Amino acid sequence: MYVLLPVTGYVLTSVLLFKCPSLLHRKKRETFRSRHISHRGGAGENLENTMAAFRHAVQLGTDMLELDCHLTKDEEVVVSHDHNLMRSTGVCANVCDLAYTELPPYLCKLDVSFQKECFCEGGEDKHIPLLRDVFEAFPHTPVNIDIKANDDTLIRKVSELVVKYNREHLTVWGNTSNKIVQKCYKENPRIPILFSLQRVGLFYTGLLPVVPLREQFLEVPMPSIFIKLTDPRRLTKRQRFIAWLADTAADEESPI
């Protein structure tokens, strides 16, 4: 009883503050709201992070493009998920060790890394694009940028491109690493930032409503996604139930 009462009070208070955050926080100004986000441009439908994938997603009416950035040897900001190109191109080389013109094309068939035993075959577009290519092609589409490397030059270059194309109101950036997120904020606090994985823990522990917030966008990891990457025969009913419960909680709209 001595434990149950405080825990119950903690849970109820967290739920109340999560549903009514204005009790503690000033409402943040929303520059855009996205309900449909195309991860890597829709990696299950086209070759990930290609202009063809981005065009297809926008044609379907997506609210936001999500993409990943690395820096080449000649300091060009390219849209690529992997640091090493072996999985995506068949060439064992790091993006940072090659000039942009030296980058190999994507393979014709790529695995969808967040879906077990799922592959996507692409068309003629196997080109690794520049970030500026995306900005020029979709000037009015919100873009979620995952800064894939803890590289000050990469962060500075991305910020410069966002400013150059007048996209501070249409861009959100960050990474699972809290260190990278803090560097992004320091470089350009006018670009909204994402919660890092460390800070996402505030959502599941109920502490999210009671901490100071710089972040404006929350990406909640869905346990069902991680389940797809495991052998379903190894999952217990309890694990499935916990994943369903966590997914249900995460599916609620967050009024940050």
Side-chain angles (χ1 to χ4, degrees):
M1 180 62 70
Y2 292 107
V3 175
L4 183 60
L5 286 176
V7 170
T8 302
Y10 174 77
V11 170
L12 292 176
T13 302
S14 295
V15 171
L16 172 64
L17 293 175
F18 183 75
K19 294 295 185 181
C20 307
S22 58
L23 294 175
L24 288 181
H25 300 289
R26 293 176 57 186
K27 185 174 178 60
K28 293 183 181 293
R29 182 176 61 87
E30 291 183 345
T31 55
F32 55 86
R33 176 174 292 193
S34 301
R35 297 180 182 274
H36 184 282
I37 302 174
S38 297
H39 186 226
R40 305 184 201 174
E45 299 177 1
N46 286 275
L47 293 184
E48 63 183 48
N49 281 324
T50 60
M51 294 302 293
F54 298 137
R55 282 193 292 268
H56 176 72
V58 171
Q59 288 170 1
L60 290 179
T62 191
D63 298 321
M64 173 185 278
L65 298 173
E66 190 273 349
L67 51 81
D68 313 278
C69 283
H70 282 287
L71 198 66
T72 61
K73 186 177 180 179
D74 52 347
E75 297 191 348
E76 293 284 0
V77 180
V78 295
V79 180
S80 172
H81 179 269
D82 298 348
H83 172 62
N84 184 277
L85 296 168
M86 186 64 192
R87 177 188 71 90
S88 57
T89 70
V91 177
C92 187
N94 296 328
V95 174
C96 61
D97 294 330
L98 300 176
Y100 178 63
T101 55
E102 298 173 327
L103 294 178
Y106 281 121
L107 296 171
C108 297
K109 184 178 180 180
L110 289 183
D111 67 303
V112 180
S113 58
F114 49 86
Q115 177 78 47
K116 188 177 179 63
E117 297 181 354
C118 180
F119 297 88
C120 182
E121 295 189 34
E124 296 182 358
D125 186 4
K126 303 178 184 67
H127 185 65
I128 297 176
L130 294 163
L131 180 60
R132 67 167 177 261
D133 294 337
V134 180
F135 286 173
E136 290 174 358
F138 311 104
H140 307 299
T141 302
V143 174
N144 175 338
I145 300 176
D146 189 347
I147 304 294
K148 300 303 290 186
N150 186 5
D151 185 322
D152 293 350
T153 304
L154 171 62
I155 293 171
R156 176 175 55 82
K157 291 277 188 177
V158 170
S159 175
E160 288 173 353
L161 285 169
V162 171
V163 173
K164 176 181 178 180
Y165 288 94
N166 191 28
R167 293 189 52 91
E168 289 172 302
H169 65 297
L170 286 174
T171 305
V172 55
W173 62 344
N175 184 265
T176 55
S177 165
N178 194 54
K179 183 179 292 186
I180 293 178
V181 172
Q182 295 310 312
K183 283 187 175 183
C184 289
Y185 183 81
K186 184 177 179 181
E187 177 66 35
N188 190 338
R190 296 181 300 278
I191 305 175
I193 55 174
L194 292 160
F195 279 79
S196 64
L197 187 59
Q198 175 184 335
R199 298 269 289 177
V200 166
L202 300 171
F203 174 85
Y204 284 111
T205 58
L207 292 172
L208 179 62
V210 297
V211 299
L213 299 177
R214 283 181 174 176
E215 300 90 344
Q216 291 179 262
F217 289 85
L218 172 65
E219 291 180 336
V220 181
M222 306 293 280
S224 59
I225 298 296
F226 298 104
I227 285 178
K228 291 179 180 178
L229 301 177
T230 63
D231 186 343
R233 295 170 295 182
R234 300 175 59 184
L235 296 171
T236 66
K237 290 183 178 180
R238 181 181 179 184
Q239 289 173 322
R240 290 181 181 277
F241 173 75
I242 292 174
W244 172 83
L245 190 64
D247 275 0
T248 302
D251 198 39
E252 294 292 327
E253 182 178 331
S254 175
I256 295 176

